[in-house]
Amino acid sequence: MTLSADDCASLEAFAEEWLARGATRDQLLSALTSGLPPHIHHPGRLARSRLLAKMPPENAEPGRAREPSPRPLRIMECTVCRTPGRPAALPGGVCGPCRGEAPPDDRRRRAAEATAARVRARVEGLRAVARPPASSGSRTAAGRP
């Protein structure tokens, strides 16, 4: 998002207010840049709108920063069997059983399989929605070109 010098000058007060309310630079940057549309016609207006709409609340104690938001949960799949798991449990992208380690107890294995099946079903559903409809050539419904 490219901003002019005038845009930057007019937005400076809003950015200062964000920081005064305890927001971090990363939070400010995220509010401005996350989920941007592919084409921005008025970057200054978009930035101003986002800074105002997402303004953090005033701190009860001035100068005390808010606690950082929790890190997002990351889940990966084993590259061999596609079992989901946390990155720490999948070194090199491969789960313990696929690396030849002892499998987890039966209850954990069944829960992992159920989760893997749900993940696969959800992904297939999303892929089906994302696929463009199949075209039937140049004919119309009435059979005319």
Side-chain angles (χ1 to χ4, degrees):
M1 190 164 64
T2 305
L3 297 171
S4 69
D6 289 338
D7 287 336
C8 291
S10 69
L11 296 171
E12 184 177 3
F14 297 116
E16 286 175 356
E17 181 66 23
W18 268 71
L19 298 174
R21 291 184 179 201
T24 65
R25 294 174 66 108
D26 288 337
Q27 290 170 329
L28 178 63
L29 182 63
S30 177
L32 286 170
T33 60
S34 63
L36 287 175
H39 301 289
I40 302 172
H41 301 287
H42 302 285
R45 283 192 221 163
L46 177 65
R48 184 178 194 279
S49 172
R50 284 180 171 218
L51 287 173
L52 288 173
K54 298 180 179 187
M55 181 77 66
E58 292 185 33
N59 287 332
E61 299 176 31
R64 182 176 174 206
R66 295 183 304 158
E67 293 191 21
S69 58
R71 291 180 41 193
L73 176 64
R74 305 263 190 236
I75 299 290
M76 297 174 52
E77 278 189 352
C78 173
T79 57
V80 178
C81 68
R82 302 183 61 119
T83 300
R86 294 185 180 256
L90 299 167
V94 181
C95 68
C98 291
R99 286 191 313 267
E101 295 178 3
D105 66 15
D106 191 41
R107 184 177 36 141
R108 288 184 64 201
R109 183 179 49 79
R110 278 185 278 139
E113 288 171 356
T115 304
R118 280 184 284 173
V119 168
R120 280 190 216 103
R122 177 73 174 151
V123 168
E124 286 304 316
L126 292 172
R127 285 180 181 152
V129 170
R131 285 188 195 114
S135 64
S136 60
S138 61
R139 290 190 210 170
T140 61
R144 287 174 272 169

CSV table of all heavy atoms in Angstrom, one decimal, residues 1 3 37-38 42 49 57 59 62 64 69 71 73 75 86-87 116 122 134:
chain,number,residue,atom,x,y,z
A,1,MET,N,0.9,-1.2,0.0
A,1,MET,CA,0.0,0.0,0.0
A,1,MET,C,0.9,1.2,0.0
A,1,MET,O,1.7,1.4,0.9
A,1,MET,CB,-0.9,-0.1,1.3
A,1,MET,CG,-2.0,1.0,1.3
A,1,MET,SD,-3.3,0.6,2.5
A,1,MET,CE,-2.4,0.7,4.0
A,3,LEU,N,1.6,5.1,0.3
A,3,LEU,CA,1.0,6.4,0.8
A,3,LEU,C,1.8,7.6,0.4
A,3,LEU,O,3.0,7.5,0.4
A,3,LEU,CB,0.9,6.3,2.3
A,3,LEU,CG,0.0,5.2,2.9
A,3,LEU,CD1,0.2,5.0,4.4
A,3,LEU,CD2,-1.5,5.4,2.5
A,37,PRO,N,-7.3,-5.8,0.1
A,37,PRO,CA,-7.9,-6.2,-1.1
A,37,PRO,C,-6.8,-6.1,-2.2
A,37,PRO,O,-5.8,-5.5,-2.1
A,37,PRO,CB,-9.0,-5.2,-1.4
A,37,PRO,CG,-8.6,-4.0,-0.6
A,37,PRO,CD,-7.9,-4.5,0.6
A,38,PRO,N,-7.1,-6.8,-3.4
A,38,PRO,CA,-6.0,-6.8,-4.4
A,38,PRO,C,-5.8,-5.4,-5.0
A,38,PRO,O,-4.7,-5.1,-5.4
A,38,PRO,CB,-6.6,-7.8,-5.4
A,38,PRO,CG,-8.0,-8.1,-5.1
A,38,PRO,CD,-8.2,-7.7,-3.7
A,42,HIS,N,-7.8,4.2,-2.9
A,42,HIS,CA,-7.5,5.3,-2.1
A,42,HIS,C,-6.8,4.8,-0.8
A,42,HIS,O,-7.4,4.6,0.2
A,42,HIS,CB,-8.8,6.0,-1.7
A,42,HIS,CG,-9.6,6.5,-2.8
A,42,HIS,ND1,-9.2,7.6,-3.6
A,42,HIS,CD2,-10.7,6.0,-3.4
A,42,HIS,CE1,-10.1,7.8,-4.5
A,42,HIS,NE2,-11.0,6.9,-4.5
A,49,SER,N,-9.3,4.8,7.7
A,49,SER,CA,-10.5,4.0,8.1
A,49,SER,C,-10.1,2.9,9.1
A,49,SER,O,-10.8,2.6,10.1
A,49,SER,CB,-11.3,3.5,6.9
A,49,SER,OG,-12.3,2.6,7.3
A,57,PRO,N,-8.7,0.0,22.8
A,57,PRO,CA,-9.3,0.8,23.9
A,57,PRO,C,-8.2,1.5,24.7
A,57,PRO,O,-7.0,1.1,24.7
A,57,PRO,CB,-10.0,-0.2,24.7
A,57,PRO,CG,-9.3,-1.5,24.4
A,57,PRO,CD,-8.8,-1.4,23.0
A,59,ASN,N,-6.0,2.4,27.8
A,59,ASN,CA,-5.6,1.6,28.9
A,59,ASN,C,-6.1,2.2,30.2
A,59,ASN,O,-6.2,3.5,30.4
A,59,ASN,CB,-4.0,1.6,29.0
A,59,ASN,CG,-3.5,0.7,27.9
A,59,ASN,OD1,-4.1,-0.3,27.5
A,59,ASN,ND2,-2.3,1.0,27.5
A,62,PRO,N,-2.2,4.4,32.4
A,62,PRO,CA,-1.4,5.0,31.3
A,62,PRO,C,0.1,4.4,31.3
A,62,PRO,O,0.6,4.2,32.4
A,62,PRO,CB,-1.4,6.5,31.6
A,62,PRO,CG,-2.5,6.7,32.5
A,62,PRO,CD,-2.7,5.4,33.2
A,64,ARG,N,1.0,1.5,30.6
A,64,ARG,CA,1.1,0.1,30.7
A,64,ARG,C,0.6,-0.6,29.4
A,64,ARG,O,-0.6,-0.4,29.1
A,64,ARG,CB,0.3,-0.4,31.9
A,64,ARG,CG,0.4,-1.9,32.1
A,64,ARG,CD,-0.4,-2.3,33.3
A,64,ARG,NE,-0.4,-3.7,33.4
A,64,ARG,CZ,-1.3,-4.4,34.0
A,64,ARG,NH1,-2.3,-3.8,34.6
A,64,ARG,NH2,-1.2,-5.7,34.0
A,69,SER,N,-1.3,-10.7,22.4
A,69,SER,CA,-2.3,-11.7,22.1
A,69,SER,C,-1.6,-13.1,22.0
A,69,SER,O,-0.4,-13.2,21.6
A,69,SER,CB,-3.0,-11.4,20.7
A,69,SER,OG,-2.0,-11.3,19.7
A,71,ARG,N,-0.3,-16.7,20.7
A,71,ARG,CA,0.2,-17.1,19.4
A,71,ARG,C,-0.8,-18.0,18.8
A,71,ARG,O,-1.5,-18.8,19.5
A,71,ARG,CB,1.5,-17.8,19.6
A,71,ARG,CG,2.7,-16.9,20.0
A,71,ARG,CD,4.0,-17.6,20.1
A,71,ARG,NE,4.2,-18.6,19.1
A,71,ARG,CZ,5.2,-19.4,19.1
A,71,ARG,NH1,6.0,-19.5,20.2
A,71,ARG,NH2,5.4,-20.3,18.2
A,73,LEU,N,-2.6,-21.2,17.0
A,73,LEU,CA,-2.3,-22.6,17.1
A,73,LEU,C,-1.9,-23.1,15.7
A,73,LEU,O,-2.6,-22.8,14.7
A,73,LEU,CB,-3.6,-23.3,17.5
A,73,LEU,CG,-3.5,-24.9,17.5
A,73,LEU,CD1,-2.4,-25.3,18.5
A,73,LEU,CD2,-4.8,-25.4,17.9
A,75,ILE,N,-1.1,-26.2,13.3
A,75,ILE,CA,-1.3,-27.7,13.1
A,75,ILE,C,-0.7,-28.0,11.7
A,75,ILE,O,-1.0,-27.3,10.7
A,75,ILE,CB,-2.8,-28.1,13.2
A,75,ILE,CG1,-3.4,-27.7,14.5
A,75,ILE,CG2,-3.0,-29.6,12.8
A,75,ILE,CD1,-2.8,-28.6,15.7
A,86,ARG,N,1.0,-31.2,16.0
A,86,ARG,CA,1.7,-29.9,16.2
A,86,ARG,C,3.1,-30.0,15.6
A,86,ARG,O,3.6,-31.1,15.4
A,86,ARG,CB,1.9,-29.7,17.7
A,86,ARG,CG,0.5,-29.4,18.4
A,86,ARG,CD,0.7,-29.0,19.8
A,86,ARG,NE,-0.5,-28.8,20.5
A,86,ARG,CZ,-1.0,-27.5,20.7
A,86,ARG,NH1,-0.3,-26.5,20.4
A,86,ARG,NH2,-2.2,-27.4,21.3
A,87,PRO,N,3.7,-28.9,15.2
A,87,PRO,CA,5.0,-28.9,14.5
A,87,PRO,C,6.0,-29.7,15.3
A,87,PRO,O,6.9,-30.4,14.8
A,87,PRO,CB,5.3,-27.5,14.3
A,87,PRO,CG,4.0,-26.8,14.3
A,87,PRO,CD,3.1,-27.6,15.2
A,116,ALA,N,-8.1,-36.6,11.8
A,116,ALA,CA,-7.6,-36.6,10.4
A,116,ALA,C,-8.7,-36.7,9.4
A,116,ALA,O,-8.7,-36.1,8.4
A,116,ALA,CB,-6.6,-37.7,10.3
A,122,ARG,N,-13.2,-31.8,5.6
A,122,ARG,CA,-13.3,-30.3,5.5
A,122,ARG,C,-12.5,-29.7,4.4
A,122,ARG,O,-13.0,-28.9,3.6
A,122,ARG,CB,-12.8,-29.7,6.8
A,122,ARG,CG,-12.9,-28.2,6.9
A,122,ARG,CD,-14.3,-27.7,6.9
A,122,ARG,NE,-14.3,-26.3,7.1
A,122,ARG,CZ,-15.2,-25.5,6.7
A,122,ARG,NH1,-16.3,-25.9,6.1
A,122,ARG,NH2,-15.1,-24.2,6.9
A,134,ALA,N,-17.8,-26.9,-13.9
A,134,ALA,CA,-17.4,-27.5,-15.1
A,134,ALA,C,-18.3,-26.9,-16.3
A,134,ALA,O,-19.5,-26.8,-16.2
A,134,ALA,CB,-17.6,-29.0,-15.0
